[in-house]
Amino acid sequence: MPTAIPARATGAASTPSPRRPGRSPALTSGSGRAAARIGAFAVCQAAMMAGIGLLITGPARDLWPLTAEDAVNEGLERLRGGALTTASEIASGAGDTATVVAVTLLVCLFLVLAPRLPLWREAVFLALGVSLQSLVFLVITESVDRTRPDVERLDDSPPTSSYTSGHTGAATALYAGLAVLVLSRARGPWRKVVGALLLLIPLLVGAARLYRGMHHPTDVVGGLLNGALSLIVVGRAVLADDAWAAPPPADAVDIAVAAAESRPGPARGHAVVIVNPTVTDTATRGRLRLILAQQGYRDVDFVDTTARETGGGQTAEAVRGGAGLVVVCGGDGTVRAVADALAGTGVPMVLVPCGTGNLLARNLGLPLGPADALAAGLAGEPHALDLGRVEGDGIPATHFTAMSGAGLDAAMLEGTSDRAKSALGWPAYVLAGFQGLRAPRMRLAITLDGAPELRRTARMVLLANIGTVQGGAAPVPDARPDDGVLDLALFDPRGAGGWLRAAGVLLRGPSRDGGAPGGTGRRAGGGGAVEFFTFRRAELAFARPQPREVDGDPVGPGLRIAAEVRPGALTILLPAREK
């Protein structure tokens, strides 16, 4: 059962509280300079766009390609028809002022209210990007007087210059801004598709404005440029990690931590932070130290892992030393080592993902930013998670939090170099996986909870405590880390149809339609290409040595794997919504 941890300090009514975990005047200086730079670049942007407009309407008006613009507008007028006209009206409406304002407002409210931790920077980026585009557009239309094309116009002409296209500029700022947020902040294989569709909308709006006779081609190009420049200026100031803020003083973290520790309120217990130094930089350490101080942890030790001691020994020493909280900052291997040492102790763990896969954090729905993950965990409650205990020939008994397996996945992990992971991230595993397809199928015997032995062939075997891996794929869709059982998945696709069925299983996501939680049983999947079982103890014997892995770490080839579940063995702090 979870062990109670010291209650969060509430303090007296007059006790000040930090506006946001991990923030401090010492670490947030420079916002005024950033605003000044946005203003300066906005002036330059407006001057450049207006200069281009004056060039188009003045010295360059008799030069090609400007002389060909009338022919383009007249050609589009001749193409008009019922379906195209209706489609152009819909597309043009996507850039209408009312639509852009409404969508911007709704998205900004969603970014602030929907996530567990408000995405303020993302909301400010979108709102400022759209607003800056509008302000520059007004300056341009006051500076450049260009008549609209001499064709029949399908919309009422607003009292503004034809240059630039306001609809196109607003659509670029809004929908391209949304694409930036989706591509940079979202997870899952769908984000590239959604991002591409969002980037397509401004082009459709521009084409619709041309079709409806409202603008010259250069007006549309100017709108696209104005919207894109607005996003670049605001994005550089708001979204970039270094932004345009003034550099903080060298001892900024020390100043902020000292200020947090001097605030009145009861101190919390001793905390130990287990850090993998290969994936955690100095700035991240400082931010974590500040958040802990702001939450009342004044007795904190940071302990680095090493190549020989990957976190288990350091965690065991922390428990013996009376630590009331262990924070693990690293990848899947570091998390596994810490969880192995904490199993059954009742000492709560906070998970701060810093690695390539971060599988447990992803399945628990935790923020993937280290500072946000720590703040969310410290604000959460104890929750009991299952662990898997695995052993075999050449594998000393140990626990895993995510998955253990043999075959293709283990070969894939063995074939991925640290250099490739650093350069490509998790897609490096996929590239290595193609090489493993040449290996022959494995033959194995399976014993589940003492039932009669099963004999199978497979390309990959997974013993899972969680269901989802990188990229949103779900190789074991129904596995959960708190249901009291482990899941076994056998992948044995044959031919193109089998691989397609297996791919369908990977992409369909959790279903929870097979077997009751806490029980054991069998579930079919993928038309024979994939087979699922639940168990409390499993023994797997291979006909010949197979590559094996535990929580993403290769453990060498062998002939045997035995695994059993340890229900509720790990106590972890999770946000209340995750319970």
Side-chain angles (χ1 to χ4, degrees), residues 24-267:
S24 165
L27 297 179
T28 56
S29 59
S31 59
R33 175 180 293 190
R37 289 193 177 186
I38 290 177
F41 274 84
V43 171
C44 294
Q45 176 183 337
M48 184 188 75
M49 294 299 304
I52 294 174
L54 293 174
L55 183 65
I56 290 173
T57 57
R61 65 178 179 272
D62 295 326
L63 300 177
W64 188 91
L66 297 178
T67 53
E69 289 193 302
D70 290 341
V72 172
N73 289 110
E74 291 167 0
L76 290 173
E77 183 182 27
R78 290 192 295 269
L79 289 176
R80 290 175 184 171
L84 284 176
T85 300
T86 301
S88 71
E89 182 177 8
I90 296 172
S92 179
D96 183 76
T97 300
T99 302
V100 170
V101 171
V103 173
T104 302
L105 180 61
L106 290 175
V107 172
C108 289
L109 288 174
F110 174 83
L111 291 172
V112 172
L113 300 177
R116 289 180 297 276
L117 296 176
L119 301 176
W120 286 107
R121 285 204 300 176
E122 288 76 4
V124 169
F125 162 73
L126 190 64
L128 282 183
V130 173
S131 300
L132 178 59
Q133 183 281 145
S134 299
L135 289 174
V136 174
F137 168 74
L138 292 176
V139 172
I140 295 170
T141 56
E142 289 296 322
S143 305
V144 181
D145 184 15
R146 190 182 197 190
T147 58
R148 297 187 181 273
D150 188 19
V151 296
E152 180 186 0
R153 293 187 285 274
L154 299 183
D155 296 326
D156 294 332
S157 300
T160 57
S161 169
S162 179
Y163 177 88
T164 61
S165 171
H167 280 63
T168 307
T172 303
L174 172 58
Y175 301 109
L178 287 174
V180 169
L181 296 182
V182 168
L183 293 172
S184 63
R185 299 298 193 261
R187 305 194 300 270
W190 53 267
R191 65 187 182 92
K192 292 184 179 180
V193 175
V194 173
L197 292 176
L198 288 169
L199 290 173
L200 181 63
I201 295 177
L203 300 178
L204 294 177
V205 171
R209 300 302 286 170
L210 290 175
Y211 176 89
R212 299 181 72 78
M214 302 306 297
H215 293 286
H216 306 277
T218 48
D219 302 334
V220 170
V221 173
L224 292 169
L225 180 60
N226 185 34
L229 287 175
S230 299
L231 290 179
I232 292 172
V233 170
V234 175
R236 180 65 181 84
V238 177
L239 290 185
D241 289 336
D242 57 346
W244 275 333
D251 58 348
V253 172
D254 294 332
I255 295 172
V257 170
E261 291 179 345
S262 66
R263 294 174 63 240

Side-chain angles (χ1 to χ4, degrees), residues 459-493:
R459 287 197 176 274
M460 181 170 70
V461 176
L462 292 178
L463 304 161
N465 192 37
I466 61 170
T468 304
V469 296
Q470 298 96 329
V476 194
D478 294 338
R480 290 183 53 178
D482 60 356
D483 57 4
V485 295
L486 296 177
D487 288 59
L488 170 66
L490 299 172
F491 285 79
D492 192 24

Side-chain angles (χ1 to χ4, degrees), residues 256-576:
V257 170
E261 291 179 345
S262 66
R263 294 174 63 240
R268 304 177 78 170
H270 177 47
V272 174
V273 184
I274 308 297
V275 179
N276 184 335
T278 65
V279 294
T280 310
D281 57 23
T282 302
T284 299
R285 290 174 187 252
R287 185 73 71 186
L288 299 181
R289 188 156 60 96
L290 175 57
I291 293 172
L292 286 162
Q294 289 175 335
Q295 295 298 322
Y297 286 97
R298 300 170 186 173
D299 182 12
V300 179
D301 292 325
F302 279 72
V303 182
D304 285 355
T305 65
T306 66
R308 297 187 62 180
E309 282 289 350
T310 58
Q314 295 91 331
T315 303
E317 180 65 27
V319 172
R320 288 193 295 269
L325 177 72
V326 173
V327 178
V328 53
C329 187
D332 294 323
T334 308
V335 172
R336 187 209 62 76
V338 172
D340 181 54
L342 288 178
T345 65
V347 176
M349 180 181 86
V350 173
L351 177 54
V352 177
C354 293
T356 303
N358 303 315
L359 294 184
L360 184 60
R362 293 175 189 273
N363 279 263
L364 295 175
L366 293 173
L368 295 184
D372 290 339
L374 178 59
L378 293 178
E381 301 173 2
H383 190 72
L385 294 188
D386 305 334
L387 291 176
R389 186 177 182 275
V390 63
E391 60 183 332
D393 51 321
I395 306 178
T398 187
H399 293 89
F400 64 89
T401 63
M403 294 181 181
S404 180
L408 179 60
D409 72 314
M412 175 178 65
L413 292 166
E414 285 183 350
T416 306
S417 66
D418 292 337
R419 185 175 182 179
K421 288 191 289 185
S422 299
L424 301 177
W426 64 263
Y429 294 125
V430 179
L431 297 178
F434 287 112
Q435 301 176 0
L437 294 177
R438 297 194 299 265
R441 285 181 171 81
M442 69 179 84
R443 295 182 179 275
L444 69 158
I446 306 167
T447 303
L448 301 176
D449 297 326
E453 182 180 86
L454 303 174
R455 293 191 174 273
R456 295 288 191 273
T457 61
R459 287 197 176 274
M460 181 170 70
V461 176
L462 292 178
L463 304 161
N465 192 37
I466 61 170
T468 304
V469 296
Q470 298 96 329
V476 194
D478 294 338
R480 290 183 53 178
D482 60 356
D483 57 4
V485 295
L486 296 177
D487 288 59
L488 170 66
L490 299 172
F491 285 79
D492 192 24
R494 297 173 184 269
W499 284 105
L500 287 175
R501 287 191 291 272
V505 171
L506 290 174
L507 298 176
R508 74 184 181 189
S511 62
R512 301 304 299 169
D513 60 357
T520 59
R522 175 180 181 273
R523 304 187 300 278
V530 188
E531 196 172 9
F532 298 109
F533 301 85
T534 56
F535 66 90
R536 294 187 176 89
R537 178 172 176 81
E539 296 183 10
L540 281 62
F542 307 106
R544 59 185 174 187
Q546 297 294 329
R548 300 170 298 176
E549 58 90 8
V550 177
D551 269 353
D553 289 331
V555 292
L559 293 169
R560 188 175 68 87
I561 292 180
E564 63 181 356
V565 66
R566 289 199 60 191
L570 179 67
T571 301
I572 187 170
L573 297 186
L574 297 178

